[in-house]
Amino acid sequence: DRMLRDVLPSLARLLAGLAVALVAGIGIGVLLGTNRVLRATLEPVFEFLRAIPPPALVPVLILLAGIGDTMKVLVIVSGCIWPILLNTVEGVRGADEVLGDTCRSYRVTGTLRLRTFVLRSASPQIMAGARQALSIGLILMVISELKAANEGLGFTVREFQTGFQIPEMWSGVLLLGIIGVVLSLLFQLVERR
């Protein structure tokens, strides 16, 4: 019962936040990595946004999105998107120029070029960013549940702490560690694939 009430909603929010961060980070990263003018224009804005700590955004996101799951997912996205986006930009910019010239010579353009050359060249960097985002996402999942929540692991750990139920609090912290290890192992399987 407690597993269904606390662990599954937390994991669902974490996975939703990571999915949104992956799609947005890779999409924006490819655009910025392939377009110098756009990158030069938006880089100062992104540097400003990246410098804002995601926990500081919690009150703003509560105002914008309410206290439901949307706010919690947005907190996770706000921290996870940066390592994915920045690694994607660097991966796209670091693509082999000879292979790029070969694609142009054989008239490989559009989505075929994006799929077979750009994303494949950048995939090691993208995966490195996704690995960083996973650990950041786990932290932000807990932080998002510390305020204005009535379920989830962060909420439960805080409830145990304020109720001076120290063994139960530490069991929640240990469970978070176990979840982190399991997610890391699952990520390694995906990364190998």
Side-chain angles (χ1 to χ4, degrees), residues 115-184:
R115 234 175 357 105
T116 57
F117 170 61
V118 175
L119 287 176
R120 284 195 183 178
S121 296
S123 64
Q125 293 278 97
I126 293 170
M127 291 308 283
R131 176 179 284 285
Q132 291 172 347
L134 179 64
S135 57
I136 291 169
L138 194 61
I139 294 165
L140 292 174
M141 174 195 79
V142 174
I143 289 171
S144 71
E145 293 171 351
L146 290 177
K147 292 184 178 150
N150 57 6
E151 64 177 7
L153 283 169
F155 167 78
T156 304
V157 169
R158 189 195 61 185
E159 286 293 300
F160 286 144
Q161 180 200 8
T162 56
F164 296 103
Q165 296 171 292
I166 303 304
E168 290 84 353
M169 180 196 76
W170 279 109
S171 68
V173 171
L174 287 173
L175 180 59
L176 283 167
I178 292 168
I179 289 171
V181 169
V182 169
L183 289 175
S184 180

Side-chain angles (χ1 to χ4, degrees), residues 61-63 65-72 144 147-150:
L61 292 174
I62 288 174
L63 285 173
I67 59 171
D69 286 346
T70 305
M71 180 273 296
K72 293 168 182 67
S144 71
K147 292 184 178 150
N150 57 6

Side-chain angles (χ1 to χ4, degrees), residues 10-111:
S10 291
L11 287 177
R13 288 188 284 261
L14 173 63
L15 295 177
L18 279 172
V20 171
L22 277 168
V23 170
I26 292 170
I28 297 168
V30 167
L31 276 175
L32 294 178
T34 55
N35 189 326
R36 279 194 187 128
V37 175
L38 190 63
R39 184 171 61 246
T41 306
L42 293 179
E43 201 166 41
V45 176
F46 284 141
E47 285 301 323
F48 171 76
L49 292 173
R50 187 173 71 101
I52 300 171
L57 293 174
V58 171
V60 176
L61 292 174
I62 288 174
L63 285 173
L64 295 174
I67 59 171
D69 286 346
T70 305
M71 180 273 296
K72 293 168 182 67
V73 170
L74 287 175
V75 169
I76 294 167
V77 171
S78 70
C80 291
I81 193 168
W82 300 113
I84 297 167
L85 188 147
L86 296 173
N87 277 296
T88 301
V89 169
E90 290 308 309
V92 170
R93 287 181 64 204
D96 188 354
E97 290 178 21
V98 174
L99 287 176
D101 291 341
T102 305
C103 285
R104 273 189 288 284
S105 297
Y106 285 104
R107 293 187 178 96
V108 177
T109 59
T111 55

